[in-house]
Amino acid sequence: RPPRSTLFPYTTLFRSPGEFAETLVKESHQLEFSGCGEKYHGMKILVPDGTLCIVPRTPETIEKFGVGSGSVGDAYYPQARAVGFYELSTGTFEKFDFAHYKTPERTFMLDHARDNSVTTLYMGDAGYNGTGLITITNICFGHHVLVRSKEQSILEKEFRKSGKRSAIYTITVTNVHLRSYPQFAHLKGRKISIRMIRTRGTTKLRSMILITTLLD
């Protein structure tokens, strides 16, 4: 944390948490990346993940996030969702985004991928999975993904049954895959190839299935 004298006044900090965090995150990341940033086969590696946070109730936050859990008093706070993009080579956050708490985390990732001019490997948990999200990120925005498979999907069951450690599958995009992305309905019928990878399990820990668009 910077010395207190370098921080915005606390009233400003609490009124503008997004702007405050974004400023510090950008400056610290840019400084770190300019000194020791590295790429993996020409790609940056980002890990997006989100959390819910609370912000003070002001006219501005009520307008953006809603009234929240109560109607009066400073003890009640509207919630916001924040997603950070952690860059592995520097150990810093490239970006933080804030939005209404009902905003899906995948929306943050797609917004970032759309505006990201550097080819990137996004590494996410099962919340960033789904054929639609993978297809849009890869085909439309030119980035790659490495995510954990959703438990009990038909494809995962088929892959586990095969006993293979790694296998490539080709998926045809359907309306079902795109139901959360109506603006990308034109992708229906497109084919995308993915690799499924089975990690090694133990006697106490079941192996995980990962999905990636990196095929080589």
Side-chain angles (χ1 to χ4, degrees), residues 43-76:
M43 296 180 292
K44 263 203 299 194
I45 303 180
L46 293 180
V47 182
D49 204 1
T51 184
L52 289 176
C53 56
I54 57 175
V55 292
R57 174 175 291 155
T58 65
E60 293 79 13
T61 57
I62 290 175
E63 179 181 359
K64 186 168 185 178
F65 303 118
V67 174
S69 58
S71 57
V72 294
D74 293 334
Y76 299 87

Side-chain angles (χ1 to χ4, degrees), residues 28 93 113:
S28 63
F93 284 93

